[in-house]
């Protein structure tokens, strides 16, 4: 019994630590521009959140599946295992970057900019805060909490990208990939398509290498895969790199989101 309790405690600590690697340690005062003393305290609630799906147009060719690889660059460092595989194998992908990740990874950004035929760079927000306009917790992370704070998260991310020499983004994916419906409407009104996914490749980078490889390698025609390129110490990155080679060997056609028609639910792309 003691062993079971210790194992459970260790798992909870590991998951909490992994989320902490990808989120700010505290919500900046710029978010919502409201002093912490008067902001509503975030709390878990019955608020309806959605995690939209996204698919791309299929090739409909036997043995020639078309998929879109998308990677979140939340915080932390660049995972060279994944990045070097994408470049070496000439595999295109869409990378969602936060302002905070851009500041810490100029070398990886240079690689992206030097390979415009491979990489489409899109908006993952300013501070990796869930794009939910009501105070709540998402996986224990405090949401933006107001329409103004959602706008700041989106606009702040875009501004950092343009300042770094990246073309103005057209897609947005928020932290945790969960939203409330009103925030989806607000982001769409800002001119963004919202990037859901259909295959969760690495479970937030928390999965092991073997299961990550199997998940991504199982992607089918029309799937959009989400994984992470900001956790170089996690085993999942090894599985991602192997899966890319697996898919290429199977004759998979890789496309970026900007290169193909798509369909998202919850009015994320309409």
């Amino acid at each position: 019994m003691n062993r079971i309790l210790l194992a459970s405690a260790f798992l909870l600590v590991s998951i909490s630590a992994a989320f902490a690697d990808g989120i700010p340690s505290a919500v900046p005062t710029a978010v919502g521009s409201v002093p912490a003393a008067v902001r509503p305290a975030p709390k878990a609630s019955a608020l309806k959140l959605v995690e939209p799906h996204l698919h791309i147009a299929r090739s409909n060719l036997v043995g020639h599946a078309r998929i879109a690889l998308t990677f979140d660059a939340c915080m932390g460092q660049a995972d060279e295992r994944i990045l070097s595989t994408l470049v070496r194998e000439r595999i295109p992908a869409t990378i969602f970057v936060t302002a905070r990740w851009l500041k810490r990874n100029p070398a990886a950004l240079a690689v992206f900019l030097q390979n415009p035929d491979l990489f489409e760079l899109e908006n993952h927000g300013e501070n990796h805060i869930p794009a939910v306009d009501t105070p709540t917790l998402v996986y224990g992370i405090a949401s933006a909490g107001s329409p103004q704070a959602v706008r700041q998260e989106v606009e702040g991310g875009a501004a950092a990208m343009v300042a770094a020499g990246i073309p103005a983004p057209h897609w947005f994916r928020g932290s945790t990939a969960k939203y409330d419906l009103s925030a989806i409407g607000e982001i769409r009104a800002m001119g963004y398509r919202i990037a859901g996914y259909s295959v969760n490749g690495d479970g937030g980078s928390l999965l092991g290498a073997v299961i990550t490889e199997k998940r991504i390698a199982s992607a089918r025609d029309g799937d959009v895969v989400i994984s992470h390129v900001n956790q170089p110490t996690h085993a999942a990155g090894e599985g991602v790199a192997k899966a890319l080679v697996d898919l290429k060997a199977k004759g998979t056609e890789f496309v970026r989101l900007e290169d193909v028609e798509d369909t998202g639910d919850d009015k994320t792309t309409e």
Side-chain angles (χ1 to χ4, degrees):
M1 179 62 73
N2 288 337
R3 291 182 178 177
I4 294 174
L5 292 174
L6 286 172
S8 298
F10 177 78
L11 179 59
L12 289 172
V13 169
S14 299
I15 292 174
S16 298
F19 277 122
D21 283 344
I23 62 174
S25 58
V27 179
T29 56
V31 178
S33 300
V34 181
V38 298
R39 280 204 306 268
K43 59 182 180 179
S45 70
L47 177 69
K48 180 182 179 181
L49 299 180
V50 297
E51 191 167 358
H53 292 91
L54 179 68
H55 289 85
I56 58 171
R58 298 176 179 176
S59 73
N60 291 318
L61 298 175
V62 177
H64 190 72
R66 175 189 293 152
I67 71 168
L69 297 171
T70 69
F71 293 93
D72 288 358
C74 313
M75 309 296 175
Q77 304 297 324
D79 191 332
E80 292 295 337
R81 297 168 298 181
I82 300 172
L83 183 54
S84 63
T85 300
L86 291 169
V87 173
R88 183 182 67 250
E89 300 293 335
R90 308 309 295 171
I91 295 175
T94 302
I95 315 293
F96 287 85
V97 296
T98 66
R100 298 182 72 172
W101 187 88
L102 287 174
K103 290 179 182 178
R104 297 185 62 178
N105 295 276
L109 173 60
V111 172
F112 290 148
L113 295 179
Q114 289 163 6
N115 292 274
D117 58 321
L118 294 183
F119 300 115
E120 171 190 2
L121 300 180
E122 297 292 352
N123 189 357
H124 197 33
E126 182 176 25
N127 288 300
H128 201 250
I129 295 170
V132 176
D133 62 14
T134 300
T136 191
L137 297 175
V138 187
Y139 299 130
I141 309 169
S143 66
S146 72
Q148 295 81 7
V150 169
R151 177 173 289 273
Q152 175 61 41
E153 176 71 359
V154 177
E155 290 183 341
M161 293 177 69
V162 172
I166 302 170
H170 302 288
W171 286 87
F172 176 79
R173 175 182 285 154
S175 166
T176 74
K178 288 183 179 288
Y179 315 81
D180 55 345
L181 296 178
S182 55
I184 287 176
E186 292 154 13
I187 297 166
R188 291 289 290 125
M190 295 172 66
Y192 286 90
R193 302 171 79 78
I194 297 175
Y197 60 90
S198 58
V199 175
N200 187 337
D202 63 0
S205 83
L206 295 174
L207 298 177
V210 173
I211 190 170
T212 295
E213 180 183 4
K214 289 181 178 179
R215 280 194 179 195
I216 298 176
S218 69
R220 299 180 179 181
D221 196 16
D223 272 333
V224 175
V225 180
I226 182 176
S227 297
H228 292 75
V229 71
N230 67 302
Q231 296 288 4
T233 64
H234 289 196
E238 178 185 347
V240 172
K242 289 182 178 179
L244 300 181
V245 177
D246 295 343
L247 286 169
K248 183 177 180 180
K250 288 163 52 175
T252 300
E253 175 191 1
F254 300 99
V255 296
R256 303 172 300 184
L257 293 183
E258 66 180 350
D259 296 330
V260 68
E261 294 184 356
D262 55 78
T263 303
D265 56 15
D266 296 307
K267 299 184 177 180
T268 50
T269 61
E270 290 181 1

